[in-house]
Amino acid sequence: MKTAIYPGSFDPITKGHLNIIERAAKIFDVVVVCVMVNSDKKNPLFSLEERLHLINKVVGELPNVRVETFSGLLAEYAKRHEPAVIVKGLRAVSDFESEFQMALINRKINPNLDTFFLTASEQYTYLSSSVVKELARYGADLSGLLPEQIVDDVLEKTRNRG
Ligand code: ADP
């Protein structure tokens, strides 16, 4: 059974993320969306538990997609799911540089571990969780950017943050 691990911070999950998950779910037997505790991204909008809940709301209908969380090294986490690959989405050359480096480091730690890159769908190339959070602060229409099940959660959370 081939497992794909799709790691990220998903603060919150966007239509760009969902697009990658749906495409990966057609290629691999199981996709594990892994919400990583990322020390670089301080002060997230949603807690880890809230992000898990939002992702579950969105991927609940996809039979071969699971959601987990992990706070250690991705390469170590992948060993639990062997044989597994990491799936990443590439939006632009700027993504490529850091992702290429991460892929090489992960394989150095775990020589069995490969990374598969899916190019972002054209309509989501500009889309990131940070863009969504910025637009939400100004009350913009988020329906083209977020899965519809979570639009209200994001707007409400943003309002409560002030
Ligand atoms: P962000 O970069 O938005 O903070 P994450 O850290 O959660 O998002 O990203 C997890 C993975 O999803 C990364 O591989 C990232 O390149 C990819 N990704 C994020 N947004 C998109 C998108 N709009 N289209 C395709 N891939 C994306």
Side-chain angles (χ1 to χ4, degrees):
M1 194 139 94
K2 285 272 185 301
T3 301
I5 299 166
Y6 181 40
S9 18
F10 307 105
D11 183 39
I13 183 171
T14 68
K15 280 197 168 179
H17 293 130
L18 179 59
N19 178 263
I20 297 288
I21 294 168
E22 286 173 337
R23 287 159 61 200
K26 287 185 190 149
I27 302 169
F28 297 96
D29 299 311
V30 177
V31 175
V32 183
V33 180
C34 187
V35 186
M36 302 298 289
V37 181
N38 187 338
S39 51
D40 287 344
K41 293 188 183 171
K42 296 256 158 56
N43 199 17
L45 180 62
F46 290 97
S47 71
L48 209 55
E49 291 71 29
E50 288 169 331
R51 281 180 267 160
L52 278 173
H53 173 69
L54 293 181
I55 301 170
N56 272 313
K57 254 178 146 179
V58 171
V59 303
E61 306 279 289
L62 300 171
N64 60 337
V65 177
R66 288 210 316 269
V67 191
E68 292 185 359
T69 177
F70 190 66
S71 64
L73 278 178
L74 184 59
E76 297 295 339
Y77 172 78
K79 283 184 186 162
R80 297 185 192 174
H81 291 279
E82 269 178 13
V85 300
I86 293 173
V87 163
K88 290 290 192 117
L90 284 183
R91 286 162 292 190
V93 178
S94 50
D95 273 347
F96 177 83
E97 272 188 43
S98 55
E99 295 294 358
F100 188 68
Q101 187 185 27
M102 281 307 302
L104 292 178
I105 292 171
N106 282 329
R107 206 168 51 213
K108 180 129 186 95
I109 302 170
N110 177 352
N112 293 324
L113 188 55
D114 266 313
T115 303
F116 275 66
F117 293 104
L118 292 175
T119 49
S121 282
E122 209 175 280
Q123 75 265 39
Y124 301 131
T125 315
Y126 60 87
L127 184 53
S128 69
S129 300
S130 332
V131 162
V132 168
K133 285 183 273 190
E134 185 68 17
L135 291 175
R137 244 173 262 141
Y138 295 99
D141 178 11
L142 304 179
S143 54
L145 314 177
L146 290 177
E148 59 180 286
Q149 303 94 315
I150 69 162
V151 170
D152 288 343
D153 299 274
V154 173
L155 288 174
E156 195 187 324
K157 185 80 172 180
T158 311
R159 266 198 301 273
N160 292 342
R161 272 277 179 107

